[in-house]
Amino acid sequence: MNIPKDLKYTKTHEWVRVEGKNAYVGITDFAQRHLGDIVYVELPEVGSDVEVGDALCSIESVKAASDVYSPVSGKVVDANESLEEEPGLLNQDPYKNWIALIEMANPEEVDALLDAESYAKHCEQEEEAMA
């Protein structure tokens, strides 16, 4: 499983890459593997405000529909429109293909997220619980 060390993670399998006041948000490799072939991404509305834990958007796969939750609070300033045409990009490389760019209202919220090592342990525990 691919877990880049330079990102932060949530227990609901979103990743965050911080660049100044901005946070790129996407789903993890663990999430895309468990969803299976992704067939539709409902992108968040640019200009909308989100709080930590809010449903940011939804993803549909051949197996299930799933919400993506915002790991930070702020304003959605961009959405990756290429996912509307090619939702399967999330299966190909979930870390290259971000979903939303959020201008963070409280950058310190990132400190509450998991680092790569903690996220890897969380995934292992989930895998064991599913077995």
Side-chain angles (χ1 to χ4, degrees):
M1 182 171 34
N2 184 12
I3 303 175
K5 296 206 180 309
D6 61 330
L7 304 176
K8 292 288 199 162
Y9 300 90
T10 67
K11 289 185 175 184
T12 52
H13 308 290
E14 291 85 16
W15 60 260
V16 176
R17 184 177 72 237
V18 176
E19 293 184 3
K21 285 185 164 181
N22 293 324
Y24 287 89
V25 178
I27 63 168
T28 65
D29 188 42
F30 182 95
Q32 72 82 21
R33 282 190 304 113
H34 284 273
L35 282 168
D37 291 336
I38 296 170
V39 295
Y40 178 73
V41 178
E42 181 185 338
L43 294 172
E45 187 176 325
V46 172
S48 62
D49 291 318
V50 293
E51 296 290 325
V52 170
D54 284 356
L56 184 61
C57 70
S58 62
I59 293 176
E60 293 178 19
S61 71
V62 293
K63 290 183 182 178
S66 182
D67 285 333
V68 174
Y69 300 100
S70 185
V72 294
S73 302
K75 182 181 290 291
V76 177
V77 293
D78 199 4
N80 187 351
E81 293 180 5
S82 62
L83 297 176
E84 288 181 324
E85 297 292 319
E86 294 184 77
L89 289 171
L90 290 174
N91 292 118
Q92 293 172 24
D93 188 341
Y95 299 111
K96 178 181 166 196
N97 295 292
W98 53 276
I99 294 171
L101 178 59
I102 298 172
E103 184 179 318
M104 294 183 285
N106 304 306
E108 62 277 1
E109 289 173 341
V110 172
D111 296 337
L113 300 174
L114 302 172
D115 62 17
E117 187 178 324
S118 299
Y119 179 67
K121 287 178 183 163
H122 173 70
C123 291
E124 286 172 22
Q125 290 168 346
E126 258 192 45
E127 289 280 3
E128 288 171 12
M130 285 188 241

